[in-house]
Amino acid sequence: MAFRQALQLAACGLAGGSAAVLFSAVAVGKPRGGGDADTRATEPPAWTGARAGRGVWDTNWDRREPLSLINLKKRNVESGEDELTSRLDHYKAKATRHIFLIRHSQYHVDGSLEKDRTLTPLGREQAELTGLRLASLGLKFNKIVHSSMTRAVETTDIISKHLPGVSRVSTDLLREGAPIEPDPPVSHWKPEAVYYEDGARIEAAFRNYIHRADARQEEDSYEIFICHANVIRYIVCRALQFPPEGWLRLSLNNGSITHLVIRPNGRVALRTLGDTGFMPPDKITRS
């Protein structure tokens, strides 16, 4: 009704500037149904790659969605849906993966060589506290995967004492680095290695370790990854499908515990981020 009145006013030349009358009338007119808010769909951010009105979560983010693992061209037309269902079940995950991402403890940052950047006395205390915390959870941990850098290896040595019998695996993929140029940019932060080199490796670590359970896995798993702040922050952003460029907006304390849960259907939840609530305040550091 407001729109029709505006057209009539504009046609009759009433009020100076009929176009202004027209658009002001349209602006104040209420949408049908009496709602006060503009209900038009808004475009999602460009980085999501999604269209307005559609969900932005990529269900096949780890390329392990059962349907994507089947060659539909080879399907037997006669057996039809029964065969397809059977094949889907063969590739469908059954278990939940619990990923515990541990940042290494405080270390000597002034070491000239990487091997000289060992844990400080406080850092060793932090690792003891983290190990005690993990042991107190009463979980049956399946394995510990750790970065091959000195500070991560020493943190693992101490934590492992509290988790006897849990196997250890060292990897270069989890070494510290610059995963991707942060946004907003930070002028004073200059990584030693270029993003091009480190980014590919850290992305490879994400793809290799962060995914839904294998279809052959029958029971839930509890896995520990001991590495570095940049790597953990990037992994969290990627796993939650947040803009990875935002990794530097997160902050992690030394010896902190981050807990990701990956369900059989591929959905991901963040249980804790950088938890150090088990440490006395005077033992908490971020350097």
Side-chain angles (χ1 to χ4, degrees):
M1 196 62 187
F3 184 81
R4 187 174 300 153
Q5 290 174 348
L7 287 176
Q8 292 173 348
L9 288 172
C12 296
L14 297 179
S18 58
V21 177
L22 172 62
F23 288 111
S24 62
V26 173
V28 299
K30 292 184 178 181
R32 292 181 182 179
D36 293 324
D38 186 353
T39 57
R40 291 175 299 176
T42 57
E43 284 290 332
W47 64 265
T48 63
R51 298 177 182 177
R54 299 179 65 180
V56 298
W57 178 261
D58 178 9
T59 58
N60 195 30
W61 61 274
D62 58 352
R63 302 301 181 264
R64 295 185 180 224
E65 184 70 20
L67 194 59
S68 71
L69 301 174
I70 297 176
N71 187 348
L72 295 176
K73 293 181 180 179
K74 293 184 178 180
R75 184 175 60 168
N76 188 329
V77 179
E78 295 181 359
S79 56
E81 295 300 322
D82 290 340
E83 181 199 9
L84 178 59
T85 301
S86 175
R87 293 175 66 187
L88 284 174
D89 289 341
H90 176 74
Y91 289 105
K92 192 175 294 183
K94 309 172 189 64
T96 295
R97 294 184 68 207
H98 293 263
I99 307 295
F100 292 84
L101 300 163
I102 314 297
R103 188 192 175 194
H104 61 79
S105 302
Q106 186 191 64
Y107 67 104
H108 294 285
V109 297
D110 54 353
S112 57
L113 300 175
E114 193 280 317
K115 65 182 181 65
D116 299 324
R117 297 167 192 167
T118 56
L119 297 185
T120 64
L122 175 56
R124 301 188 71 83
E125 288 186 62
Q126 292 169 339
E128 292 282 358
L129 292 168
T130 303
L132 287 169
R133 172 59 176 168
L134 291 170
S136 72
L137 298 177
L139 301 174
K140 184 180 179 181
F141 289 105
N142 300 78
K143 63 180 178 180
I144 298 175
V145 181
H146 64 86
S147 159
S148 58
M149 297 186 80
T150 300
R151 54 191 182 271
V153 172
E154 291 190 346
T155 301
T156 303
D157 289 340
I158 296 172
I159 289 177
S160 292
K161 293 190 302 181
H162 300 278
L163 302 171
V166 180
S167 62
R168 294 173 48 172
V169 179
S170 177
T171 177
D172 291 339
L173 288 179
L174 292 174
R175 291 174 73 91
E176 183 64 303
I180 189 173
E181 189 170 359
D183 183 24
V186 181
S187 60
H188 66 271
W189 193 77
K190 298 180 181 179
E192 296 176 359
V194 295
Y195 298 107
Y196 183 78
E197 295 175 351
D198 287 355
R201 172 178 55 78
I202 297 172
E203 173 64 20
F206 171 78
R207 296 187 186 191
N208 191 52
Y209 295 118
I210 311 300
H211 52 76
R212 74 194 76 187
D214 187 274
R216 293 168 295 182
Q217 182 176 323
E218 297 290 341
E219 299 181 353
D220 294 351
S221 59
Y222 300 87
E223 305 159 49
I224 298 173
F225 295 82
I226 300 176
C227 49
H228 310 270
N230 296 353
V231 178
I232 295 172
R233 292 183 287 187
Y234 177 79
I235 285 176
V236 168
C237 288
R238 287 283 282 111
L240 297 178
Q241 298 188 25
F242 292 165
E245 298 85 356
W247 63 271
L248 199 53
R249 305 172 202 172
L250 307 177
S251 181
L252 298 174
N253 293 333
N254 295 114
S256 62
I257 300 174
T258 295
H259 182 184
L260 282 171
V261 179
I262 307 177
R263 299 295 183 188
N265 61 6
R267 293 185 181 180
V268 182
L270 180 64
R271 290 275 181 89
T272 60
L273 175 66
D275 176 30
T276 48
F278 52 87
M279 292 187 186
D282 62 339
K283 303 296 183 184
I284 297 175
T285 62
R286 285 193 299 275
S287 60

